[in-house]
Amino acid sequence: MENSQTMTVEEKKTEPAKFLTGAQAIMQCLVENNVKTIFGYPGGAIMPTYDALYDYQDRIKHILVRHEQGAGHAAQGYARMTGRAGVAMVTSGPGATNLMTPIADALLDSTPMVCLVGQVKANLLGTDAFQECDIIGMSMPVTKWNFQITDPNEIPEAMAKAFYIAESGRPGPVLLDITRTAQADLMTIPFEYKPCTEIVSYRPRLTPKQEQVEAAAKLINAAQKPYIFAGHGIIISNAQQEFDDFVRKTDIPVATTLLGMSALPSDHPNYIGWLGMHGNYGANVLTDEADLIIAIGMRFDDRVTGDLSKFIKQAEVVHIDIDPAEINKNVFADAPVIGDAKQVLKALLPLVKERKHETWKAEFKKYDEAEFEKITKRDVFHDGDKIRMGEAVTMLSNKTKGEAVTVTDVGQHQMVTNRYYQYNTWNSLVTSGGAGTMGFALPAAFGAKVGAPDREVIAIIGDGGFQMTLQELGTIAQSGLPVKIIILNNNFLGMVRQWQQLFFEKRYSFVELQNPDFITIAKGFGIAGHTVSDRANLSDSLDTLLASDKPYLLEIICEKEENVFPMVPAGASVSAIRLE
């Protein structure tokens, strides 16, 4: 018997044409793209779309944030966990400009995001109408693509392009500036959604050229001291298995960038640490000893390279990246391979020889011992009275077995978390890398929890960054999702204070904070929490936080003038890394 729900070709021809309003078309396009969640804040210029959303509540969940910046960061956290574009929807004027920081952050960290922004009526464009601003001009430098919609008939094609561009190639943010006219008017063409699969002027290369792969394999097979720099691109391309297979076959030591952390588990035999300004001692110093650097899905930013004029001058370079603009931008590549990291690693695997590099890997361990004696013992195993950030993060790591998603803000606590949390699960760090956005963590942690509800999500934030977006406690409370929040409170803008101490003769210029009662604020939003300052109570306090099945805030009072080491001074060579 024929399925009664199956429509014949003739029946489709006689189906009534769908003449939707632009706002209805936006909603239908979201459904067609399998969007389940929007983070947003309504206002006048986006109101027709919010009115249409009222009828789509059974298919699309809207989460009302407390500030448009929160919508953007939440969409980022969601995207980082799911690999799909996070969607933020805001109104014109200040609504749009408040979204600019998350957009810039998303571009630098290759995070897919689709931003739907209301705009004044088409006939008012250019008149300085109420809440009008040129968000197309303003966002052009920080979006992968943007487009202004003045006609409702443009919506299906523009929406399809937006998701395709945001999620394909090197992911990034796109913005659609949609006039109120385009939202409110009825389409004159029946609604039809066609997914975008290619654009003539935009053709990201996923599969690498064979000659590039062979040239890279030749260098890898000849190297005596090869060294892998593992970046965010490995996680974005979901190359977990391919990367592990490649590393185990070649036995090459691996250091990650900040955003590349958790590309390999911390206990992997080839993982030797973290690169960069506050990265591990051996991981930085021994870049000057390698004869081959294999950079995968990373862009050689200044926090990794230090002084470019002195960086890896002795080594040949294999640079694997999906974005051709990154090749030779900062570091010359002897063997560039343009393509998706997953596809490149698949192509390389049969061409590389099975090797052993035990002597080379052992060199890193010597530096690990020095780092432990000079830094880790002081940070984690000290006998002082005050809680240090390192011991708090180490204890958290042990209690969660390195399996939680940590979402960090920007500053000392961020560096300490990356040093002492032992990531044993793939894709477990969400942080602001390229932009270094204070205020990122709280809304991003909420978005991450929405995207990965079955994982433990813990926001680790400094007292300064927390106060930039603390209003998003309201969003978390309203959702009821058990986001865990840790404030490492030293009553300072800690990283700025550290620099002032080390490089500005202890001239502490406007870095000490008079903080509010964070626990009272949390309780005002309906979120439970408590403060711990006694080292003897730290373990029990973390147990209370982790045991909660609701949102919970733990404030940890830390040593005020603790510094984060190792440290490569800004502009110095990575070999100039300091242990104290």
Side-chain angles (χ1 to χ4, degrees), residues 381-411:
F381 304 105
H382 66 101
D383 55 6
D385 296 329
K386 303 289 180 65
I387 297 172
R388 293 182 71 91
M389 290 183 284
E391 68 178 315
V393 173
T394 298
M395 195 176 290
L396 176 71
S397 180
N398 292 336
K399 288 178 180 294
T400 58
K401 300 178 181 178
E403 296 175 351
V405 176
T406 65
V407 185
T408 64
D409 216 77
V410 173

PDB file of all heavy atoms in Angstrom, residues 381-411:
ATOM      1  N   PHE A 381      52.002  22.191  45.000  1.00  0.00           N
ATOM      2  CA  PHE A 381      52.358  21.415  46.192  1.00  0.00           C
ATOM      3  C   PHE A 381      53.036  22.278  47.257  1.00  0.00           C
ATOM      4  O   PHE A 381      53.884  21.822  48.001  1.00  0.00           O
ATOM      5  CB  PHE A 381      53.283  20.250  45.792  1.00  0.00           C
ATOM      6  CG  PHE A 381      52.689  19.363  44.735  1.00  0.00           C
ATOM      7  CD1 PHE A 381      53.142  19.424  43.424  1.00  0.00           C
ATOM      8  CD2 PHE A 381      51.659  18.488  45.031  1.00  0.00           C
ATOM      9  CE1 PHE A 381      52.595  18.609  42.440  1.00  0.00           C
ATOM     10  CE2 PHE A 381      51.107  17.678  44.058  1.00  0.00           C
ATOM     11  CZ  PHE A 381      51.569  17.736  42.757  1.00  0.00           C
ATOM     12  N   HIS A 382      52.637  23.533  47.322  1.00  0.00           N
ATOM     13  CA  HIS A 382      53.268  24.465  48.251  1.00  0.00           C
ATOM     14  C   HIS A 382      52.752  24.249  49.677  1.00  0.00           C
ATOM     15  O   HIS A 382      51.778  23.514  49.899  1.00  0.00           O
ATOM     16  CB  HIS A 382      52.979  25.904  47.810  1.00  0.00           C
ATOM     17  CG  HIS A 382      51.532  26.286  47.909  1.00  0.00           C
ATOM     18  ND1 HIS A 382      51.050  27.031  48.955  1.00  0.00           N
ATOM     19  CD2 HIS A 382      50.470  26.017  47.116  1.00  0.00           C
ATOM     20  CE1 HIS A 382      49.755  27.215  48.793  1.00  0.00           C
ATOM     21  NE2 HIS A 382      49.379  26.609  47.686  1.00  0.00           N
ATOM     22  N   ASP A 383      53.381  24.883  50.642  1.00  0.00           N
ATOM     23  CA  ASP A 383      52.962  24.747  52.034  1.00  0.00           C
ATOM     24  C   ASP A 383      52.526  26.089  52.630  1.00  0.00           C
ATOM     25  O   ASP A 383      52.527  26.282  53.845  1.00  0.00           O
ATOM     26  CB  ASP A 383      54.080  24.130  52.882  1.00  0.00           C
ATOM     27  CG  ASP A 383      55.393  24.906  52.772  1.00  0.00           C
ATOM     28  OD1 ASP A 383      55.385  25.981  52.133  1.00  0.00           O
ATOM     29  OD2 ASP A 383      56.411  24.439  53.320  1.00  0.00           O
ATOM     30  N   GLY A 384      52.144  27.023  51.759  1.00  0.00           N
ATOM     31  CA  GLY A 384      51.678  28.325  52.237  1.00  0.00           C
ATOM     32  C   GLY A 384      50.249  28.273  52.744  1.00  0.00           C
ATOM     33  O   GLY A 384      49.552  27.250  52.658  1.00  0.00           O
ATOM     34  N   ASP A 385      49.782  29.401  53.260  1.00  0.00           N
ATOM     35  CA  ASP A 385      48.430  29.479  53.812  1.00  0.00           C
ATOM     36  C   ASP A 385      47.374  29.777  52.757  1.00  0.00           C
ATOM     37  O   ASP A 385      46.210  29.384  52.903  1.00  0.00           O
ATOM     38  CB  ASP A 385      48.371  30.582  54.885  1.00  0.00           C
ATOM     39  CG  ASP A 385      49.266  30.275  56.077  1.00  0.00           C
ATOM     40  OD1 ASP A 385      49.439  29.078  56.381  1.00  0.00           O
ATOM     41  OD2 ASP A 385      49.800  31.234  56.675  1.00  0.00           O
ATOM     42  N   LYS A 386      47.758  30.485  51.701  1.00  0.00           N
ATOM     43  CA  LYS A 386      46.788  30.943  50.701  1.00  0.00           C
ATOM     44  C   LYS A 386      46.582  29.894  49.605  1.00  0.00           C
ATOM     45  O   LYS A 386      47.503  29.164  49.231  1.00  0.00           O
ATOM     46  CB  LYS A 386      47.272  32.250  50.067  1.00  0.00           C
ATOM     47  CG  LYS A 386      47.531  33.371  51.061  1.00  0.00           C
ATOM     48  CD  LYS A 386      46.232  33.917  51.634  1.00  0.00           C
ATOM     49  CE  LYS A 386      46.489  35.036  52.631  1.00  0.00           C
ATOM     50  NZ  LYS A 386      47.098  36.221  52.009  1.00  0.00           N
ATOM     51  N   ILE A 387      45.378  29.856  49.079  1.00  0.00           N
ATOM     52  CA  ILE A 387      45.084  28.988  47.931  1.00  0.00           C
ATOM     53  C   ILE A 387      45.746  29.581  46.690  1.00  0.00           C
ATOM     54  O   ILE A 387      45.635  30.781  46.433  1.00  0.00           O
ATOM     55  CB  ILE A 387      43.567  28.867  47.707  1.00  0.00           C
ATOM     56  CG1 ILE A 387      42.891  28.206  48.907  1.00  0.00           C
ATOM     57  CG2 ILE A 387      43.270  28.058  46.427  1.00  0.00           C
ATOM     58  CD1 ILE A 387      41.365  28.236  48.840  1.00  0.00           C
ATOM     59  N   ARG A 388      46.430  28.739  45.950  1.00  0.00           N
ATOM     60  CA  ARG A 388      47.003  29.175  44.674  1.00  0.00           C
ATOM     61  C   ARG A 388      46.155  28.627  43.538  1.00  0.00           C
ATOM     62  O   ARG A 388      45.544  27.551  43.642  1.00  0.00           O
ATOM     63  CB  ARG A 388      48.454  28.716  44.543  1.00  0.00           C
ATOM     64  CG  ARG A 388      49.380  29.401  45.545  1.00  0.00           C
ATOM     65  CD  ARG A 388      50.818  28.962  45.374  1.00  0.00           C
ATOM     66  NE  ARG A 388      51.412  29.500  44.161  1.00  0.00           N
ATOM     67  CZ  ARG A 388      52.071  30.654  44.085  1.00  0.00           C
ATOM     68  NH1 ARG A 388      52.204  31.412  45.163  1.00  0.00           N
ATOM     69  NH2 ARG A 388      52.608  31.056  42.948  1.00  0.00           N
ATOM     70  N   MET A 389      46.108  29.386  42.443  1.00  0.00           N
ATOM     71  CA  MET A 389      45.250  28.997  41.320  1.00  0.00           C
ATOM     72  C   MET A 389      45.619  27.614  40.782  1.00  0.00           C
ATOM     73  O   MET A 389      44.750  26.819  40.433  1.00  0.00           O
ATOM     74  CB  MET A 389      45.354  30.049  40.211  1.00  0.00           C
ATOM     75  CG  MET A 389      44.717  31.374  40.559  1.00  0.00           C
ATOM     76  SD  MET A 389      44.791  32.579  39.188  1.00  0.00           S
ATOM     77  CE  MET A 389      46.508  33.094  39.290  1.00  0.00           C
ATOM     78  N   GLY A 390      46.906  27.335  40.726  1.00  0.00           N
ATOM     79  CA  GLY A 390      47.361  26.061  40.181  1.00  0.00           C
ATOM     80  C   GLY A 390      46.863  24.865  40.954  1.00  0.00           C
ATOM     81  O   GLY A 390      46.479  23.834  40.376  1.00  0.00           O
ATOM     82  N   GLU A 391      46.858  24.959  42.292  1.00  0.00           N
ATOM     83  CA  GLU A 391      46.379  23.819  43.079  1.00  0.00           C
ATOM     84  C   GLU A 391      44.865  23.650  42.928  1.00  0.00           C
ATOM     85  O   GLU A 391      44.363  22.522  42.912  1.00  0.00           O
ATOM     86  CB  GLU A 391      46.761  23.962  44.543  1.00  0.00           C
ATOM     87  CG  GLU A 391      46.070  25.081  45.301  1.00  0.00           C
ATOM     88  CD  GLU A 391      46.473  25.118  46.772  1.00  0.00           C
ATOM     89  OE1 GLU A 391      46.518  24.039  47.409  1.00  0.00           O
ATOM     90  OE2 GLU A 391      46.745  26.224  47.274  1.00  0.00           O
ATOM     91  N   ALA A 392      44.133  24.768  42.786  1.00  0.00           N
ATOM     92  CA  ALA A 392      42.680  24.679  42.611  1.00  0.00           C
ATOM     93  C   ALA A 392      42.335  23.983  41.291  1.00  0.00           C
ATOM     94  O   ALA A 392      41.475  23.100  41.246  1.00  0.00           O
ATOM     95  CB  ALA A 392      42.059  26.070  42.651  1.00  0.00           C
ATOM     96  N   VAL A 393      43.038  24.363  40.223  1.00  0.00           N
ATOM     97  CA  VAL A 393      42.762  23.761  38.919  1.00  0.00           C
ATOM     98  C   VAL A 393      43.223  22.298  38.897  1.00  0.00           C
ATOM     99  O   VAL A 393      42.538  21.429  38.335  1.00  0.00           O
ATOM    100  CB  VAL A 393      43.442  24.564  37.797  1.00  0.00           C
ATOM    101  CG1 VAL A 393      43.314  23.842  36.463  1.00  0.00           C
ATOM    102  CG2 VAL A 393      42.819  25.956  37.696  1.00  0.00           C
ATOM    103  N   THR A 394      44.360  22.004  39.502  1.00  0.00           N
ATOM    104  CA  THR A 394      44.829  20.614  39.561  1.00  0.00           C
ATOM    105  C   THR A 394      43.833  19.738  40.297  1.00  0.00           C
ATOM    106  O   THR A 394      43.523  18.613  39.858  1.00  0.00           O
ATOM    107  CB  THR A 394      46.198  20.543  40.257  1.00  0.00           C
ATOM    108  OG1 THR A 394      47.150  21.297  39.498  1.00  0.00           O
ATOM    109  CG2 THR A 394      46.686  19.106  40.380  1.00  0.00           C
ATOM    110  N   MET A 395      43.313  20.228  41.416  1.00  0.00           N
ATOM    111  CA  MET A 395      42.335  19.458  42.184  1.00  0.00           C
ATOM    112  C   MET A 395      41.056  19.246  41.375  1.00  0.00           C
ATOM    113  O   MET A 395      40.472  18.154  41.371  1.00  0.00           O
ATOM    114  CB  MET A 395      42.028  20.182  43.494  1.00  0.00           C
ATOM    115  CG  MET A 395      41.306  19.333  44.525  1.00  0.00           C
ATOM    116  SD  MET A 395      41.078  20.222  46.102  1.00  0.00           S
ATOM    117  CE  MET A 395      42.773  20.275  46.707  1.00  0.00           C
ATOM    118  N   LEU A 396      40.630  20.289  40.655  1.00  0.00           N
ATOM    119  CA  LEU A 396      39.443  20.168  39.798  1.00  0.00           C
ATOM    120  C   LEU A 396      39.681  19.120  38.714  1.00  0.00           C
ATOM    121  O   LEU A 396      38.815  18.290  38.427  1.00  0.00           O
ATOM    122  CB  LEU A 396      39.118  21.519  39.168  1.00  0.00           C
ATOM    123  CG  LEU A 396      37.956  21.536  38.177  1.00  0.00           C
ATOM    124  CD1 LEU A 396      36.624  21.344  38.910  1.00  0.00           C
ATOM    125  CD2 LEU A 396      37.934  22.841  37.384  1.00  0.00           C
ATOM    126  N   SER A 397      40.864  19.164  38.105  1.00  0.00           N
ATOM    127  CA  SER A 397      41.199  18.202  37.061  1.00  0.00           C
ATOM    128  C   SER A 397      41.146  16.777  37.587  1.00  0.00           C
ATOM    129  O   SER A 397      40.589  15.878  36.946  1.00  0.00           O
ATOM    130  CB  SER A 397      42.597  18.520  36.513  1.00  0.00           C
ATOM    131  OG  SER A 397      42.966  17.615  35.504  1.00  0.00           O
ATOM    132  N   ASN A 398      41.697  16.570  38.770  1.00  0.00           N
ATOM    133  CA  ASN A 398      41.696  15.223  39.353  1.00  0.00           C
ATOM    134  C   ASN A 398      40.284  14.754  39.666  1.00  0.00           C
ATOM    135  O   ASN A 398      39.928  13.588  39.417  1.00  0.00           O
ATOM    136  CB  ASN A 398      42.549  15.205  40.619  1.00  0.00           C
ATOM    137  CG  ASN A 398      44.026  15.397  40.319  1.00  0.00           C
ATOM    138  OD1 ASN A 398      44.483  15.119  39.217  1.00  0.00           O
ATOM    139  ND2 ASN A 398      44.784  15.873  41.300  1.00  0.00           N
ATOM    140  N   LYS A 399      39.474  15.634  40.201  1.00  0.00           N
ATOM    141  CA  LYS A 399      38.113  15.252  40.589  1.00  0.00           C
ATOM    142  C   LYS A 399      37.220  14.961  39.382  1.00  0.00           C
ATOM    143  O   LYS A 399      36.291  14.164  39.458  1.00  0.00           O
ATOM    144  CB  LYS A 399      37.479  16.343  41.459  1.00  0.00           C
ATOM    145  CG  LYS A 399      38.062  16.427  42.862  1.00  0.00           C
ATOM    146  CD  LYS A 399      37.432  17.556  43.659  1.00  0.00           C
ATOM    147  CE  LYS A 399      38.023  17.640  45.063  1.00  0.00           C
ATOM    148  NZ  LYS A 399      37.706  16.457  45.905  1.00  0.00           N
ATOM    149  N   THR A 400      37.480  15.628  38.249  1.00  0.00           N
ATOM    150  CA  THR A 400      36.682  15.411  37.032  1.00  0.00           C
ATOM    151  C   THR A 400      37.357  14.426  36.074  1.00  0.00           C
ATOM    152  O   THR A 400      36.840  14.165  34.989  1.00  0.00           O
ATOM    153  CB  THR A 400      36.442  16.740  36.290  1.00  0.00           C
ATOM    154  OG1 THR A 400      37.715  17.324  35.967  1.00  0.00           O
ATOM    155  CG2 THR A 400      35.635  17.707  37.142  1.00  0.00           C
ATOM    156  N   LYS A 401      38.523  13.899  36.488  1.00  0.00           N
ATOM    157  CA  LYS A 401      39.308  12.948  35.686  1.00  0.00           C
ATOM    158  C   LYS A 401      39.676  13.515  34.309  1.00  0.00           C
ATOM    159  O   LYS A 401      39.828  12.780  33.339  1.00  0.00           O
ATOM    160  CB  LYS A 401      38.540  11.630  35.520  1.00  0.00           C
ATOM    161  CG  LYS A 401      38.223  10.946  36.844  1.00  0.00           C
ATOM    162  CD  LYS A 401      37.426   9.667  36.641  1.00  0.00           C
ATOM    163  CE  LYS A 401      37.104   9.021  37.984  1.00  0.00           C
ATOM    164  NZ  LYS A 401      36.283   7.781  37.823  1.00  0.00           N
ATOM    165  N   GLY A 402      39.766  14.841  34.239  1.00  0.00           N
ATOM    166  CA  GLY A 402      40.146  15.482  32.987  1.00  0.00           C
ATOM    167  C   GLY A 402      39.112  15.344  31.887  1.00  0.00           C
ATOM    168  O   GLY A 402      39.435  15.492  30.705  1.00  0.00           O
ATOM    169  N   GLU A 403      37.856  15.111  32.254  1.00  0.00           N
ATOM    170  CA  GLU A 403      36.820  14.837  31.262  1.00  0.00           C
ATOM    171  C   GLU A 403      35.822  15.974  31.081  1.00  0.00           C
ATOM    172  O   GLU A 403      34.944  15.898  30.222  1.00  0.00           O
ATOM    173  CB  GLU A 403      36.069  13.559  31.644  1.00  0.00           C
ATOM    174  CG  GLU A 403      36.956  12.312  31.613  1.00  0.00           C
ATOM    175  CD  GLU A 403      36.256  11.069  32.111  1.00  0.00           C
ATOM    176  OE1 GLU A 403      35.122  11.192  32.650  1.00  0.00           O
ATOM    177  OE2 GLU A 403      36.827   9.969  31.979  1.00  0.00           O
ATOM    178  N   ALA A 404      35.924  17.023  31.871  1.00  0.00           N
ATOM    179  CA  ALA A 404      34.973  18.133  31.768  1.00  0.00           C
ATOM    180  C   ALA A 404      35.349  19.057  30.620  1.00  0.00           C
ATOM    181  O   ALA A 404      36.475  19.069  30.136  1.00  0.00           O
ATOM    182  CB  ALA A 404      34.933  18.913  33.077  1.00  0.00           C
ATOM    183  N   VAL A 405      34.369  19.841  30.182  1.00  0.00           N
ATOM    184  CA  VAL A 405      34.632  20.954  29.268  1.00  0.00           C
ATOM    185  C   VAL A 405      34.929  22.171  30.129  1.00  0.00           C
ATOM    186  O   VAL A 405      34.095  22.581  30.937  1.00  0.00           O
ATOM    187  CB  VAL A 405      33.426  21.243  28.363  1.00  0.00           C
ATOM    188  CG1 VAL A 405      33.684  22.474  27.497  1.00  0.00           C
ATOM    189  CG2 VAL A 405      33.077  20.041  27.512  1.00  0.00           C
ATOM    190  N   THR A 406      36.133  22.714  29.993  1.00  0.00           N
ATOM    191  CA  THR A 406      36.437  23.943  30.721  1.00  0.00           C
ATOM    192  C   THR A 406      36.283  25.120  29.760  1.00  0.00           C
ATOM    193  O   THR A 406      36.767  25.073  28.634  1.00  0.00           O
ATOM    194  CB  THR A 406      37.858  23.935  31.306  1.00  0.00           C
ATOM    195  OG1 THR A 406      38.809  23.915  30.245  1.00  0.00           O
ATOM    196  CG2 THR A 406      38.064  22.733  32.217  1.00  0.00           C
ATOM    197  N   VAL A 407      35.598  26.135  30.226  1.00  0.00           N
ATOM    198  CA  VAL A 407      35.401  27.351  29.435  1.00  0.00           C
ATOM    199  C   VAL A 407      36.071  28.478  30.203  1.00  0.00           C
ATOM    200  O   VAL A 407      35.650  28.816  31.305  1.00  0.00           O
ATOM    201  CB  VAL A 407      33.910  27.646  29.216  1.00  0.00           C
ATOM    202  CG1 VAL A 407      33.734  28.849  28.295  1.00  0.00           C
ATOM    203  CG2 VAL A 407      33.191  26.428  28.650  1.00  0.00           C
ATOM    204  N   THR A 408      37.140  29.013  29.644  1.00  0.00           N
ATOM    205  CA  THR A 408      37.899  30.014  30.383  1.00  0.00           C
ATOM    206  C   THR A 408      37.722  31.398  29.784  1.00  0.00           C
ATOM    207  O   THR A 408      37.491  31.561  28.594  1.00  0.00           O
ATOM    208  CB  THR A 408      39.402  29.670  30.412  1.00  0.00           C
ATOM    209  OG1 THR A 408      39.935  29.707  29.092  1.00  0.00           O
ATOM    210  CG2 THR A 408      39.632  28.290  31.003  1.00  0.00           C
ATOM    211  N   ASP A 409      37.870  32.368  30.655  1.00  0.00           N
ATOM    212  CA  ASP A 409      37.876  33.767  30.249  1.00  0.00           C
ATOM    213  C   ASP A 409      39.307  34.110  29.827  1.00  0.00           C
ATOM    214  O   ASP A 409      40.016  33.248  29.316  1.00  0.00           O
ATOM    215  CB  ASP A 409      37.377  34.630  31.412  1.00  0.00           C
ATOM    216  CG  ASP A 409      36.547  35.803  30.933  1.00  0.00           C
ATOM    217  OD1 ASP A 409      35.378  35.598  30.580  1.00  0.00           O
ATOM    218  OD2 ASP A 409      37.076  36.935  30.905  1.00  0.00           O
ATOM    219  N   VAL A 410      39.743  35.312  30.052  1.00  0.00           N
ATOM    220  CA  VAL A 410      41.071  35.732  29.592  1.00  0.00           C
ATOM    221  C   VAL A 410      41.846  36.348  30.746  1.00  0.00           C
ATOM    222  O   VAL A 410      41.325  37.207  31.464  1.00  0.00           O
ATOM    223  CB  VAL A 410      40.952  36.734  28.427  1.00  0.00           C
ATOM    224  CG1 VAL A 410      42.306  37.301  28.048  1.00  0.00           C
ATOM    225  CG2 VAL A 410      40.313  36.042  27.233  1.00  0.00           C
ATOM    226  N   GLY A 411      43.077  35.873  30.937  1.00  0.00           N
ATOM    227  CA  GLY A 411      43.913  36.390  32.001  1.00  0.00           C
ATOM    228  C   GLY A 411      44.707  35.287  32.655  1.00  0.00           C
ATOM    229  O   GLY A 411      44.918  34.214  32.083  1.00  0.00           O
TER     230      GLY A 411
END
